[in-house]
Amino acid sequence: MFIKFLRCMCIAIVFMTANSYAAERVIEDYKIKGINGDLEKNVALYLKQLKGEKPTRTLQRYAKKQVQNSIKALGYYSPTIEVEFNKDDSELVVKIERGPATRIDAINITLNGEGKSDTQLQTIIKNTNLKQGDVLNHGNYESAYKKIESMLLERGYFDAKWPARKLEVSIKKNSAVVTFVINTGVRYQYGSIEITSDTPAEKYIRSLAPFTQGQPYKSTYIADYNLKLSSTPYFASVRVYADITARKNAQVPIKVEVTPKPANSFEIGGGFSTDLGPRVRFKWSKPWITEDGHYLDTNMNIAEKQQDLSMAYTVPVDDPNDDLWRFSVGYKLEDELADDTYSEILTAQLQRQWLTEDKWVRTAFLRRDQETFRLGDDPKESTEMLMPGISYARKNLKGGTTPYWGEQWLISAEFGLDDVLSSTNLLRVQLQHAWLRTYLNKHLVFLKANVGAMLVDDINNVPYSLRFYAGGDQSVRGFAYQSISPENEDGELIGGKYLLSGTMEYNYQFAQNWRAALFVDGGTATNDFSDEFEVGAGFGFRYLTPVGPIRIDHAWGLTKESKSTRLSITIGPEI
């Protein structure tokens, strides 16, 4: 009797131990056999979720069902699937024979209503990723539906209905038929602009609208309108939207909600570059001075070797962003920013700025400069210039403070006459271009060129601030600030009549907020093209922040005799 009792106890202990061991076992990995490519990736998405689960028969059945659904989503409705565990139950092994593909036999899309004659809507429908003869993909089916639905809203078909939206699959024929029937209803027009709060800027809110009442609705114009209002100096926040719930008589009212800036606003900021060192910035603005929206901006930047102060009074004409008069005054001091140089300049300028039909910002200006400067051990010199000129600028960016796409142009020409309040006869022209693109989300290419020329008899009569130099963090890295220049007999850097510089840079984003960079810069400033074209190259890192990338570069002056290196740190985007 006692022996039987012991035997029962042993069996119970073994059973309990086995159960305890089984309870501790979990799936650690999975293996997929028989398929590859997108099918394998889609199955893997389901199986990843099973890691850490217990290897039970229930799980086996569940896994088989999920695998079947994941293959069906890509057009294979009759697969053969085996789900097993390996010997120690730590790995899930799935063997699959995908079977025949289900292909799209027909696509029937019917448009009724005003959208039937909308060519852009029809183009979107034709360009969906549903093609007759393709293997059925449920993701493409849903994507096509959402793309059409989005376009209907974007183009103002707010009453659109879908009487039929079907995907019919014949397992016997391995075929599918897609059916969309869309009643678009009317295409709504822009209604009246309704400003929800009192503001003295009502005139500009209405004049900046890129549409008129009665024009067919398009949501991109709403986004453009929001951006234009946000770019004015008057508002702390802007919200523009179509009030779809209040639509009637085939028109939708446009609501504008604005929060005005305070009568006086102040900003304090800073930055750093190895050319200037630490920099503190202070800005004071009065965004609304008169009934017509005149505004005042004052900026002060203080660094160890450079200080500048500027004040600008702006008078809008029709557009406070791009159609305006501006009068500005400024003071700038540079002391040993470049070796053995000193410059102090007072400036006053009158500008007339407006936007061309091709979206270039055209600025005609008249500038008065009085400058005192010293080069090396020479005594200080004083110059004066009265310079009329014109510039054309255009900048397009995507990505905000960390752009991933962009292009920038600046073309300027100005002249002075020694008979008209100027120290010398001078014609000065300059062209600057920057180009930025991102490929496959991680590969960024940045190119930059800067070309300048002066028509003048003697470079020594030209004010220091108007001469051309190269070198520094924003020019040819690996060389000190403005160190690329013609020299006089005493070895002093006197600046040049001509400038040519360029940058080629490649960035690779290897983490969410980090990029690695490789670059080559080159340039020269010269009076007769006898000076050497200097080249710098190096590597760096970019840390992406909400205020723009922090760029850390280590560069070699490849054409310098010393072959010495320079570390540069700048804050802000490439464009």
Side-chain angles (χ1 to χ4, degrees), residues 497-529:
K497 298 179 183 179
Y498 310 104
L499 172 70
L500 176 63
S501 68
T503 290
M504 293 188 297
E505 181 173 310
Y506 166 74
N507 287 197
Y508 175 73
Q509 187 159 351
F510 61 89
Q512 183 176 358
N513 293 318
W514 285 96
R515 295 175 184 156
L518 296 172
F519 57 84
V520 177
D521 299 335
T524 185
T526 182
N527 288 315
D528 53 15
F529 297 99

Coordinates of all heavy atoms in Angstrom, one line a residue, residues 497-529:
K497 N 38.0 92.0 -56.9 CA 36.9 92.5 -57.8 C 36.0 91.3 -58.2 O 34.8 91.6 -58.6 CB 37.5 93.1 -59.0 CG 38.4 94.3 -58.8 CD 38.9 94.8 -60.2 CE 39.9 95.9 -60.1 NZ 40.4 96.3 -61.4
Y498 N 36.4 90.1 -58.1 CA 35.7 89.0 -58.6 C 35.6 87.9 -57.5 O 36.6 87.7 -56.7 CB 36.3 88.4 -59.9 CG 36.6 89.4 -60.9 CD1 37.9 89.9 -61.1 CD2 35.5 90.0 -61.7 CE1 38.1 90.8 -62.1 CE2 35.8 90.9 -62.6 CZ 37.1 91.4 -62.8 OH 37.3 92.3 -63.8
L499 N 34.5 87.2 -57.5 CA 34.3 86.1 -56.5 C 33.7 84.9 -57.2 O 32.8 85.0 -58.1 CB 33.3 86.5 -55.4 CG 32.9 85.4 -54.4 CD1 34.0 85.0 -53.5 CD2 31.7 85.9 -53.6
L500 N 34.2 83.7 -56.9 CA 33.6 82.5 -57.4 C 33.8 81.4 -56.3 O 34.9 81.1 -55.8 CB 34.3 82.0 -58.6 CG 33.9 80.6 -59.2 CD1 32.4 80.7 -59.6 CD2 34.7 80.2 -60.4
S501 N 32.7 80.9 -55.8 CA 32.8 79.8 -54.7 C 31.6 78.9 -54.9 O 30.6 79.2 -55.5 CB 32.8 80.5 -53.3 OG 31.5 81.0 -53.0
G502 N 31.8 77.7 -54.4 CA 30.8 76.6 -54.5 C 30.9 75.6 -53.4 O 32.0 75.4 -52.8
T503 N 29.8 74.8 -53.2 CA 29.8 73.8 -52.2 C 29.1 72.6 -52.8 O 28.0 72.7 -53.5 CB 29.0 74.3 -51.0 OG1 29.8 75.2 -50.3 CG2 28.7 73.1 -50.0
M504 N 29.6 71.4 -52.5 CA 28.9 70.1 -52.8 C 28.9 69.4 -51.5 O 30.0 69.1 -50.9 CB 29.6 69.3 -53.9 CG 29.6 70.0 -55.2 SD 30.2 68.9 -56.5 CE 31.9 68.7 -56.0
E505 N 27.7 69.0 -51.0 CA 27.6 68.3 -49.7 C 26.6 67.2 -49.8 O 25.6 67.3 -50.4 CB 27.2 69.3 -48.6 CG 27.1 68.7 -47.2 CD 26.8 69.8 -46.2 OE1 27.6 70.8 -46.2 OE2 25.9 69.6 -45.4
Y506 N 27.0 66.1 -49.1 CA 26.1 64.9 -49.0 C 25.8 64.6 -47.6 O 26.8 64.6 -46.7 CB 26.7 63.7 -49.7 CG 26.0 62.4 -49.4 CD1 24.8 62.0 -49.9 CD2 26.6 61.5 -48.5 CE1 24.2 60.9 -49.6 CE2 26.0 60.3 -48.2 CZ 24.8 60.0 -48.7 OH 24.1 58.8 -48.4
N507 N 24.6 64.4 -47.2 CA 24.2 64.0 -45.8 C 23.5 62.7 -45.9 O 22.7 62.4 -46.7 CB 23.2 65.0 -45.2 CG 23.9 66.3 -44.8 OD1 23.3 67.1 -44.1 ND2 25.0 66.6 -45.4
Y508 N 23.8 61.8 -44.9 CA 23.1 60.6 -44.7 C 22.5 60.5 -43.3 O 23.2 60.7 -42.3 CB 24.1 59.4 -44.8 CG 23.4 58.0 -44.5 CD1 22.5 57.5 -45.4 CD2 23.7 57.4 -43.3 CE1 21.9 56.3 -45.2 CE2 23.0 56.2 -43.1 CZ 22.1 55.6 -44.0 OH 21.5 54.4 -43.7
Q509 N 21.2 60.3 -43.2 CA 20.5 60.3 -41.9 C 20.5 58.9 -41.4 O 19.8 58.0 -41.8 CB 19.0 60.8 -42.1 CG 18.3 60.9 -40.7 CD 17.1 61.9 -40.8 OE1 16.9 62.5 -41.7 NE2 16.4 61.9 -39.7
F510 N 21.4 58.7 -40.3 CA 21.5 57.4 -39.8 C 20.7 57.1 -38.5 O 20.7 56.0 -38.0 CB 23.0 57.1 -39.5 CG 23.7 58.0 -38.5 CD1 23.7 57.8 -37.2 CD2 24.3 59.2 -38.9 CE1 24.3 58.6 -36.2 CE2 24.9 60.1 -38.0 CZ 24.9 59.8 -36.7
A511 N 20.1 58.2 -38.0 CA 19.2 58.1 -36.8 C 18.2 59.2 -36.9 O 18.2 60.0 -37.8 CB 20.0 58.2 -35.5
Q512 N 17.2 59.1 -36.0 CA 16.0 60.0 -36.1 C 16.5 61.5 -36.2 O 15.9 62.3 -36.9 CB 15.1 59.8 -35.0 CG 13.8 60.6 -35.1 CD 12.8 60.3 -34.0 OE1 13.0 59.5 -33.2 NE2 11.7 61.0 -34.0
N513 N 17.4 61.9 -35.3 CA 17.8 63.3 -35.3 C 19.3 63.5 -35.7 O 19.8 64.6 -35.3 CB 17.6 63.8 -33.8 CG 16.1 63.9 -33.5 OD1 15.3 64.3 -34.2 ND2 15.8 63.4 -32.3
W514 N 19.9 62.5 -36.4 CA 21.3 62.7 -36.7 C 21.6 62.4 -38.2 O 21.0 61.5 -38.8 CB 22.1 61.7 -35.8 CG 22.3 62.1 -34.4 CD1 21.5 61.7 -33.4 CD2 23.3 63.0 -33.9 NE1 22.0 62.3 -32.2 CE2 23.1 63.1 -32.5 CE3 24.3 63.7 -34.5 CZ2 23.9 63.9 -31.7 CZ3 25.1 64.5 -33.6 CH2 24.9 64.6 -32.3
R515 N 22.4 63.2 -38.7 CA 22.9 63.0 -40.1 C 24.5 63.1 -40.1 O 25.0 63.8 -39.3 CB 22.5 64.1 -41.1 CG 21.0 64.1 -41.3 CD 20.6 65.3 -42.2 NE 19.2 65.5 -42.5 CZ 18.7 66.6 -42.8 NH1 19.4 67.7 -42.9 NH2 17.4 66.7 -43.0
A516 N 25.1 62.3 -40.9 CA 26.5 62.4 -41.2 C 26.7 63.1 -42.5 O 25.9 63.0 -43.4 CB 27.2 61.0 -41.2
A517 N 27.8 63.9 -42.6 CA 28.0 64.8 -43.8 C 29.4 64.6 -44.3 O 30.3 64.5 -43.6 CB 27.7 66.2 -43.5
L518 N 29.5 64.6 -45.7 CA 30.7 64.8 -46.4 C 30.6 66.0 -47.3 O 29.6 66.1 -48.0 CB 31.0 63.5 -47.2 CG 31.2 62.2 -46.4 CD1 31.3 61.0 -47.4 CD2 32.5 62.3 -45.6
F519 N 31.7 66.8 -47.5 CA 31.5 68.0 -48.3 C 32.9 68.3 -48.9 O 34.0 68.0 -48.4 CB 31.0 69.1 -47.4 CG 31.8 69.5 -46.2 CD1 32.9 70.3 -46.3 CD2 31.5 68.9 -45.0 CE1 33.7 70.6 -45.2 CE2 32.3 69.2 -43.9 CZ 33.4 70.1 -44.0
V520 N 32.7 69.1 -50.0 CA 33.9 69.7 -50.7 C 33.5 71.2 -51.0 O 32.4 71.4 -51.6 CB 34.3 69.0 -52.0 CG1 35.4 69.7 -52.7 CG2 34.7 67.6 -51.7
D521 N 34.3 72.1 -50.6 CA 34.0 73.5 -50.9 C 35.2 74.0 -51.7 O 36.3 73.6 -51.6 CB 34.0 74.4 -49.6 CG 32.8 74.0 -48.7 OD1 31.8 73.4 -49.2 OD2 32.9 74.2 -47.5
G522 N 34.9 75.0 -52.5 CA 36.0 75.6 -53.3 C 35.7 77.1 -53.6 O 34.5 77.5 -53.7
G523 N 36.7 77.9 -53.8 CA 36.5 79.3 -54.2 C 37.7 80.1 -54.3 O 38.8 79.7 -53.9
T524 N 37.5 81.3 -54.8 CA 38.6 82.3 -54.9 C 38.0 83.7 -55.0 O 36.9 83.9 -55.5 CB 39.4 82.0 -56.2 OG1 40.6 82.9 -56.2 CG2 38.6 82.3 -57.5
A525 N 38.7 84.6 -54.5 CA 38.5 86.1 -54.6 C 39.7 86.6 -55.3 O 40.8 86.4 -54.8 CB 38.2 86.7 -53.3
T526 N 39.5 87.4 -56.4 CA 40.7 87.7 -57.2 C 40.4 89.1 -57.9 O 39.3 89.5 -58.0 CB 41.0 86.6 -58.2 OG1 42.1 87.0 -59.0 CG2 39.8 86.4 -59.2
N527 N 41.5 89.7 -58.3 CA 41.4 90.9 -59.1 C 41.8 90.7 -60.6 O 41.4 91.5 -61.5 CB 42.4 92.0 -58.6 CG 41.8 92.5 -57.3 OD1 40.6 92.8 -57.1 ND2 42.7 92.7 -56.3
D528 N 42.5 89.6 -60.9 CA 42.9 89.4 -62.3 C 43.0 87.9 -62.6 O 43.5 87.5 -63.6 CB 44.3 90.0 -62.5 CG 45.3 89.5 -61.4 OD1 45.0 88.5 -60.7 OD2 46.4 90.1 -61.3
F529 N 42.3 87.1 -61.8 CA 42.2 85.6 -62.0 C 43.6 84.9 -62.0 O 43.7 83.8 -62.5 CB 41.5 85.3 -63.3 CG 40.1 85.8 -63.4 CD1 39.8 87.0 -64.0 CD2 39.1 85.1 -62.7 CE1 38.5 87.5 -64.0 CE2 37.8 85.6 -62.8 CZ 37.5 86.7 -63.4

